[in-house]
Every structure is written in C-alpha cells, then in structure tokens.
C-alpha cells in the first residue's frame, strides 16, 4: 500500500491484533498500521464507501460477471468513482464468501494457475490500478539522431568497409549493401550517442586494420 500511495486500511474482524511481527514486515508502511481501522463486519467497513470491488478467484452462478484488472482500470479511467472506493479482499484461507461478495458492487478476478497469496493479489491489484502510471526513476527523454548524422555515419561506414575490402553479400553493389545497413539502423531508432558509438567502433576497426596491413607490408619487403 505504501509503495503505491494507498494509506487507508480497514481490517474486518481480524484473527490477530497487528503486533511486532506485522510492524517488522511492514517496514516503511508502519504508519498505515498506526492508523488502520478495525471493524466487526464488512457492512460496517463499507458503510461510507460508494463503490466496492470484491476480489475472488472462484467462478459460479452467483459470481457470473467478473472483471479483469485491466478492464476495471479502463472502467475507472472512463468514469472515475464519484466518491470513496474500496478494494475488498478475503482472508488467506477461504477468500470472500458469497454473502460478502453480495455486499460489493463489482467483482474482480486475477486469472492464475492456482490460488494466489493474499499479499500477491493485493500487490498485483494496486500495481495495475495505481502503479502503472508511476514514472521510472532515472528514465530520460530519448533524443533520436538526426537524419544528417545518420547519413554521415553511413558514408563513414561505407568508406571503412570499402577500404577493408568487405565483400558485398550475394553480388550486391556497395551502395545496395549500405542501403541494407541503413535500413537496419533506421528501424533501430538510434540516439545521437549511439551514432557516435557505432562510428567510433568502425573507425577503431579501420585503424587497427590499417596498422596490421602496414605491418604485413613492411614484413613482406624485408
């Protein structure tokens, strides 16, 4: 809940009072435990809620219309809840009963091969609903290389390959060979620094090739 900016936790008739173990596991979420609310019934927990989403794994006649998490997110994006909304999860052992699900406005399921742990279900739900829009730290705006820089790279690569005697494939002309290479790089949507990186790599290879060629030539003349 802390990771995804949710802070209002209500426990319905919990088996154990949150204690030392809960706080140790909560780590940075201890404030949520400090302010949690405990009630005796789900009806009491939802008395000030406008829209409750009950999570269940099982299907049946009384659970015939189940939303997926992406579908739920899409609905909320189109028509946000006009008041308070609640995500309702059952206990680890048996989940929500039919009676408890009848107290919810919509039913949601997370398809899986088997039953997910409660913590995993909550994490998946909170990420899908609230986490996907979060920015990734350190991500920068990609600056694509200009057409001029891409063209300059192609001319340089063509020069280096020709000087090193690179054989065109299947009888293609040097221009056709470079055209294929250009197409590959264009589809890669290279950034400016990547253009310099590739150009520097070919230049280094050409320099080493020239050094080896000169050394071999000197040896042959001795």
């Amino acid at each position: 809940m802390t990771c995804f900016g949710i802070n209002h936790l209500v426990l319905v008739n919990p088996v154990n009072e949150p204690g030392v173990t809960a706080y140790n596991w909560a780590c940075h979420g201890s404030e949520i435990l400090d302010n949690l609310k405990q009630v005796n019934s789900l009806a009491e927990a939802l008395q000030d809620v406008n829209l409750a989403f009950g999570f269940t794994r099982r299907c049946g006649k009384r659970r015939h219309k189940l939303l997926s998490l992406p579908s739920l997110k899409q609905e909320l994006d189109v028509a946000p809840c006009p008041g308070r909304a609640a995500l309702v999860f059952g206990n680890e052992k048996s989940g929500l009963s039919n009676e408890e699900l009848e107290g919810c406005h919509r039913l949601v399921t997370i398809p899986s091969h088997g039953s997910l742990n409660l913590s995993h279900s909550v994490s998946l739900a909170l990420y899908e609903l609230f986490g996907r829009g979060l920015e990734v730290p350190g991500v920068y705006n990609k600056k694509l290389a200009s057409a001029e820089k891409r063209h300059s790279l192609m001319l340089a690569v063509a020069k280096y390959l020709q000087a090193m005697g690179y054989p065109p494939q299947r009888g293609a002309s040097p221009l056709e060979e470079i055209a294929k290479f250009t197409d590959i790089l264009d589809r890669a949507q290279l950034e400016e620094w990547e253009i310099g990186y590739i150009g520097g790599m070919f230049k280094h290879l050409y320099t080493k090739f020239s050094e080896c060629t000169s050394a071999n030539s000197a040896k042959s003349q001795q």
Side-chain angles (χ1 to χ4, degrees):
M1 291 175 65
T2 299
C3 291
F4 300 111
I6 309 302
N7 52 36
H8 187 56
L9 175 64
V10 179
L11 299 181
V12 178
N13 195 23
V15 176
N16 297 309
E17 293 284 332
V20 175
T21 301
Y23 275 90
N24 288 340
W25 281 103
C27 192
H28 300 295
S30 58
E31 185 176 347
I32 292 177
L33 294 181
D34 290 338
N35 298 305
L36 70 81
K37 180 180 179 181
Q38 296 189 46
V39 296
N40 294 319
S41 67
L42 181 58
E44 184 180 354
L46 300 178
Q47 63 182 358
D48 60 346
V49 169
N50 301 89
L51 195 57
F53 301 98
F55 282 73
T56 181
R57 182 180 67 88
R58 298 186 297 275
C59 300
K61 292 181 179 179
R62 299 172 71 176
R63 311 179 186 202
H64 64 284
K65 189 174 182 180
L66 301 179
L67 289 173
S68 66
L69 282 172
S71 297
L72 172 58
K73 179 68 165 64
Q74 186 177 24
E75 284 197 12
L76 290 177
D77 287 343
V78 173
C81 178
R84 293 173 61 86
L87 305 182
V88 184
F89 295 88
N91 60 53
E92 188 81 43
K93 184 177 180 179
S94 58
L96 294 171
S97 66
N98 286 332
E99 289 72 21
E100 289 169 331
L101 288 172
E102 288 173 359
C104 300
H105 300 91
R106 305 298 298 275
L107 305 186
V108 187
T109 190
I110 304 174
S112 64
H113 298 290
S115 180
L116 290 168
N117 290 338
L118 175 60
S119 61
H120 296 166
S121 298
V122 174
S123 297
L124 286 170
L126 295 185
Y127 171 73
E128 187 69 36
L129 297 176
F130 306 105
R132 282 189 179 274
L134 298 177
E135 293 184 0
V136 179
V139 171
Y140 62 95
N141 293 326
K142 188 173 183 179
K143 186 176 182 180
L144 297 179
S146 65
E148 182 182 358
K149 288 189 176 182
R150 294 200 308 273
H151 182 67
S152 296
L153 173 64
M154 292 306 102
L155 292 178
V157 169
K159 182 184 72 173
Y160 296 142
L161 291 179
Q162 186 175 10
M164 291 186 288
Y166 177 78
Q169 302 297 306
R170 299 180 180 179
S173 68
L175 288 177
E176 290 172 336
E177 199 70 13
I178 290 301
K180 290 189 290 185
F181 188 51
T182 302
D183 181 61
I184 293 172
L185 294 186
D186 282 345
R187 283 187 281 116
Q189 296 186 333
L190 295 177
E191 296 182 58
E192 287 190 357
W193 74 268
E194 292 172 320
I195 290 287
Y197 177 76
I198 294 174
M201 181 187 299
F202 274 95
K203 184 176 181 180
H204 178 76
L205 291 173
Y206 172 69
T207 300
K208 291 298 181 182
F209 173 81
S210 299
E211 291 175 355
C212 291
T213 301
S214 298
N216 291 334
S217 177
K219 287 181 180 179
S220 65
Q221 292 176 5
Q222 291 178 354

